[in-house]
Each structure stands twice: as C-alpha cells, then as structure tokens.
C-alpha cells in the first residue's frame, strides 16, 4: 500500500510541477501585465501543490529522498504526468484551453479528495481546491472570450481544441496503484467525475460558440506509464539543469 | 496601454472587515469580470484584501487642479473642524 500511495502522490505531483513549469515559461512573454501575473500566480499555485505532494511522497517512501530529489533527479521515463500538461504552450489559446480542461477536472478531483481517509492527503486537497477553482474560472472566461471573440481568436481556440481534446481522456484513467487507493478509501475514481466535467466543458464551449468535437479522436495516453511525448525531455532538461549543475544548492 | 477594447479600471481593495475600500491602482481589462480577476491577480498576491471593487476610470469625475485654492484653501485655517479635541475610547476601534 505504501508504494501505491507513493506512486500516486508522485504522479499527481508531476502533473502540478510540469504544468506549473509550463505556466512559468510565460513570464516576460504575456500580452499584458495583468495576464502575465495571472499566469505566474497559477503556476506558483501548482508548484506549491507539487511541493506538498512530493514532501508527503518522500515521507511515505522513507528512503532518504527529498522533494528536490524527486523533482530534479528523476528522468523523463520516471515522470508520470499527463501528456496534455507537458505539451508546449503554443499560444495563449492553447495555454488557456489546457488550463481549463485540467482545472475543470482537478478542482472536482481535489474536492473529492478532501473526503479522503488519508488526513494528510485531505489537507493538501483542501488547500488546492480553492486554487483550482480560481484557475477554472479564469481560464473559462478566456476560453469564452477567445472562442466568441475575433475571427483570429476563434480560429486559434478551435485549433487548440483540435490539438488538445484527444489528451483529455487520460485524466480519467486509473492505474493499478490508483485502483488500490480507491479500493482502500484513500482516493476517488476519476472516472466518476467525467460526466460532470464534460457538462462543464460543454456549457463553456456553448458560451464560447466553440463546437464539441463531433467525432472524438482516440485518446492519447502513456504519461502515467512514463511514456511521454518528445516535449517532456526538453522541459526537464531546462527545469533540472540548475540543480544538476549545482547539486544541493540552496537559495 | 488603454485601447478601446481594454479600457482602464480603477481598483479599490478592502484590506479586512471593518475598513473601507482604498484605491490601490489600476488595471486594463475588456470587461467587469476580467477587470475583477486582473485586480485580484495584480493587487492581492500578498494577501492584501478581502474585497475588491473595480470602477471604469472614465466614470470618475475629478476636480481640476486649477481650482485647488478655491476648493481647498478655505478649509486650511479651520482647525476646530478636526475631531482631535476629543478622546476616542479604545473600544471604538477603527473610525
């Protein structure tokens, strides 16, 4: 059970860290100062959640590894994040749609985990849920405005849907480790949230005048098994370079 | 930059219950919803507030600096209007 808990904590932490890093890449590049800070704020929320999860995972593992070891000294094949979250930012429409797809799911998943039998996990979830509620609200407003905006913004949002929609199914998958936690009353089956998630996304798409993909493309998956797209290796190379060049360095 | 699509909004924040909203700065945003979110993201990152108002900057009518003497000079020698001659009990709190 300890290894199932460790593996699931690391997978969730990898999600938050990889997406948080992607958002941090917007620093200095957003179209207005207001949105630059909004993106950085969301990124910092996620990195904070990643730290809480890695710290707990390190304690559960009890093998002398720290949160930094888990974040900076594991390679691509050891990462367990969802494929959608490692995708490049591409443009503001892609970034906001990815944030919306993920936050619309994750705010509900954290909400469910606040009822976990594991008190530490429930506490981490309780802190994260309000942060993700804001991410969902902020990104949904942008999906609506870009989808129902100019010809250019609508084309970019449609392009983002065509690119990212196939990655959403992986959010609802259940690994063997997660299944063990579900059976033990520690975690929630993400699949139980799919109907609610889809209704939420569809209602935002309606307001955005964006079409739900009629023929849903086959789900792209593999992140939970360490099988990643070519984008994660580059992300980790940049994110981990400082720590690998100066091991044990502190602020 | 203020454009027709992203006008300027003045931001007022209440630091905690019992205080009033204070002007803290401004943001650019296309509408009220995003103006509130921008104000939250720009001005409450360090726990500065419990309530935000945003007001379209062009809805504010300002006094003209040229009128400064006419408007404000008459008040400068009337110290008896200040409530500094009274002791305020501690229990009253913020006034």
């Amino acid at each position: 059970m300890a290894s199932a808990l460790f593996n699931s904590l690391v997978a969730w932490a990898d999600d938050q860290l990889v997406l948080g890093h992607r958002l941090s890449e917007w620093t200095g590049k957003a179209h207005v100062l207001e949105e630059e800070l909004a993106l950085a704020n969301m990124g910092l929320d996620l990195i904070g959640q990643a730290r809480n999860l890695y710290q707990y995972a390190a304690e559960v593992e009890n093998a002398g590894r720290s949160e930094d070891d888990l974040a900076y000294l594991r390679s691509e094949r050891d990462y367990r994040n969802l494929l959608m979250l490692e995708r490049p930012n591409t443009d503001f429409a892609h970034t906001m749609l990815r944030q919306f797809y993920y936050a619309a799911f994750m705010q509900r998943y954290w909400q469910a985990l606040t009822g976990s039998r594991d008190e530490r996990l429930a506490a981490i979830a309780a802190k994260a849920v309000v942060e993700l509620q804001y991410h969902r609200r902020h990104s949904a407003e942008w999906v609506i405005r870009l989808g129902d905006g100019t010809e250019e913004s609508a084309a970019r949002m449609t392009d983002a849907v065509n690119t990212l929609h196939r990655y959403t199914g992986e959010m609802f998958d259940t690994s063997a480790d997660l299944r063990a936690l579900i059976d033990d009353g520690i975690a929630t089956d993400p699949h139980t949230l799919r109907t609610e998630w889809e209704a939420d996304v569809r209602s935002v798409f309606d307001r955005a005048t964006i079409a739900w993909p009629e023929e849903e493309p086959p789900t792209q998956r593999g992140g939970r098994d360490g099988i990643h797209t070519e984008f994660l290796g580059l992300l980790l190379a940049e994110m981990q370079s400082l720590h690998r060049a100066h091991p044990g360095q502190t602020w | 930059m203020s454009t027709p699509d992203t006008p300027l909004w003045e931001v007022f924040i209440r630091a905690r219950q019992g205080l009033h909203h204070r002007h803290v700065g401004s943001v650019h945003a296309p509408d009220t919803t995003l103006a509130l979110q921008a104000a939250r993201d720009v001005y409450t990152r360090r726990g500065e507030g419990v309530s935000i108002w945003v007001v379209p900057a062009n809805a504010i009518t300002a006094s003209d600096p040229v009128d400064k003497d006419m408007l404000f000079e008459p008040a400068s020698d009337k110290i008896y209007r200040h409530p500094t001659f009274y002791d305020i009990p501690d229990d009253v709190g913020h006034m």
Side-chain angles (χ1 to χ4, degrees):
Chain A
M1 182 50 63
S3 83
L5 179 58
F6 172 80
N7 290 338
S8 296
L9 288 169
V10 166
W12 291 323
D14 290 347
D15 286 345
Q16 322 307 316
L17 182 62
V18 167
L19 183 56
H21 184 81
R22 280 290 183 228
L23 292 177
S24 79
E25 291 174 354
W26 273 99
T27 305
K29 296 175 184 163
H31 58 287
V32 288
L33 176 144
E34 289 82 345
E35 212 50 45
E36 170 124 349
L37 282 167
L39 289 159
N41 287 348
M42 290 193 287
L44 286 168
D45 287 344
L46 294 169
I47 291 166
Q49 292 160 21
R51 289 193 60 189
N52 290 335
L53 292 162
Y54 284 134
Q55 283 166 0
Y56 186 27
E59 289 171 33
V60 169
E61 186 187 40
N62 197 20
R65 285 205 284 183
S66 69
E67 53 173 313
D68 280 358
D69 295 335
L70 292 172
Y72 295 126
L73 297 178
R74 283 180 308 133
S75 66
E76 186 185 339
R77 287 298 299 268
D78 301 322
Y79 263 72
R80 291 290 181 270
N81 59 282
L82 300 167
L83 295 184
M84 180 170 74
L85 307 181
E86 71 198 38
R87 291 204 48 90
N89 291 329
T90 311
D91 62 15
F92 189 64
H94 276 73
T95 301
M96 278 298 142
L97 181 69
R98 180 182 60 198
Q99 201 69 22
F100 174 60
Y101 276 150
Y102 182 65
F105 164 69
M106 207 55 200
Q107 77 160 78
R108 294 178 166 84
Y109 199 65
W110 284 128
Q111 185 66 54
L113 288 185
T114 59
S116 170
R117 213 166 53 74
D118 183 319
E119 286 178 14
R120 177 82 171 266
L121 183 58
I124 292 171
K127 185 171 183 309
V129 68
V130 289
E131 296 176 337
L132 266 290
Q133 280 169 356
Y134 185 77
H135 297 192
R136 186 224 154 266
R137 177 186 293 191
H138 188 71
S139 54
E141 296 295 344
W142 274 111
V143 170
I144 291 164
R145 281 162 182 75
L146 294 173
D148 190 20
T150 64
E151 207 173 299
E152 169 84 17
S153 72
R156 284 175 183 255
M157 187 49 74
T158 303
D159 186 42
V161 172
N162 291 337
T163 303
L164 294 174
H165 201 81
R166 71 195 66 200
Y167 292 96
T168 56
E170 194 180 15
M171 296 192 291
F172 305 98
D173 287 350
T174 308
S175 66
D177 289 320
L178 184 55
R179 175 56 57 194
L181 296 191
I182 295 165
D183 293 342
D184 204 35
I186 291 174
T188 301
D189 186 342
H191 191 72
T192 59
L193 303 172
R194 186 159 194 167
T195 311
E196 210 183 309
W197 173 85
E198 185 174 321
D200 186 9
V201 175
R202 279 180 181 274
S203 79
V204 167
F205 277 19
D206 281 348
R207 290 180 61 199
T209 66
I210 292 280
W212 181 269
E214 263 183 45
E215 279 185 41
E216 289 194 39
T219 293
Q220 299 293 309
R221 48 169 60 91
R224 291 289 191 237
D225 298 318
I227 313 296
H228 291 280
T229 65
E230 68 268 33
F231 304 114
L232 182 66
L234 293 169
L235 182 153
L236 292 182
E238 183 176 15
M239 187 182 79
Q240 298 180 335
S241 61
L242 188 72
H243 188 87
R244 289 186 187 271
H246 304 280
Q249 192 68 271
T250 56
W251 286 103
Chain B
M1 193 178 70
S2 192
T3 70
D5 290 335
T6 55
L8 189 67
W9 304 75
E10 297 301 330
V11 180
F12 300 81
I13 289 183
R14 183 163 69 198
R16 55 179 193 275
Q17 302 298 341
L19 299 184
H20 32 77
H21 287 72
R22 292 177 68 107
H23 183 242
V24 295
S26 54
V27 292
H28 292 285
D31 51 53
T32 52
T33 304
L34 287 185
L36 264 184
Q37 294 186 4
R40 179 265 189 193
D41 281 317
V42 177
Y43 292 110
T44 67
R45 303 177 77 230
R46 299 176 183 85
E48 291 94 334
V50 296
S51 168
I52 304 172
W53 290 347
V54 288
V55 180
N58 65 13
I60 293 175
T61 307
S63 62
D64 190 333
V66 171
D67 295 336
K68 185 162 67 78
D69 288 347
M70 175 187 78
L71 293 175
F72 309 120
E73 182 58 30
S76 66
D77 62 350
K78 299 182 174 63
I79 58 161
Y80 48 84
R81 289 177 180 168
H82 290 273
T84 50
F85 304 101
Y86 308 93
D87 292 325
I88 299 173
D90 291 341
D91 293 343
V92 172
H94 291 289
M95 290 275 290

